[in-house]
Amino acid sequence: MISIVLNIFFAAIICYAAYRIWYLAGKLADAQEYIDQLELTNEYMYGKIIDSYEAMQEIDRLGAFEKDDEAGTTFQMLNQTITELKEQFDGEAQEEK
């Protein structure tokens, strides 16, 4: 009698463990898909930052924007922000290599 109860108990434990393994494997696969999506988004954003940086450098290649007027101040602030983003992403890219 005890043997039957123990067999049922162990079978229940095995079924529960198998279910948890299956469930956690699915969660892990979902997490991996999310990480892959984040990597693609980061690569896209890095490309956009590089493109913006190059465009800003091209726009002001002659230094035509004066710092004294409103447009020049705005341009300088945008240029500074994009330069900081580029430096930050370049630093992260070098750390990953």
Side-chain angles (χ1 to χ4, degrees):
M1 180 68 177
I2 293 177
S3 153
I4 295 172
V5 171
L6 283 176
N7 283 337
I8 292 172
F9 178 71
F10 287 130
I13 289 175
I14 290 171
C15 288
Y16 176 74
Y19 169 75
R20 290 298 295 172
I21 290 170
W22 174 77
Y23 178 78
L24 292 174
K27 288 293 184 184
L28 183 62
D30 291 343
Q32 185 61 42
E33 288 176 10
Y34 179 70
I35 290 170
D36 292 341
Q37 226 175 16
L38 285 177
E39 287 176 355
L40 287 174
T41 301
N42 284 344
E43 289 173 7
Y44 173 77
M45 292 304 295
Y46 180 68
K48 287 297 184 183
I49 288 170
I50 294 296
D51 293 344
S52 298
Y53 178 77
E54 291 171 357
M56 292 292 279
Q57 297 303 315
E58 180 64 27
I59 289 169
D60 196 36
R61 69 184 181 282
L62 301 176
F65 288 99
E66 297 288 333
K67 290 184 180 181
D68 298 339
D69 64 355
E70 189 175 318
T73 303
T74 303
F75 179 82
Q76 292 300 327
M77 290 170 59
L78 286 171
N79 195 19
Q80 179 183 358
T81 302
I82 290 174
T83 302
E84 289 173 1
L85 283 171
K86 182 182 179 305
E87 290 171 358
Q88 183 178 6
F89 273 92
D90 282 344
E92 290 177 4
Q94 289 174 0
E95 289 177 9
E96 289 178 4
K97 292 180 181 180

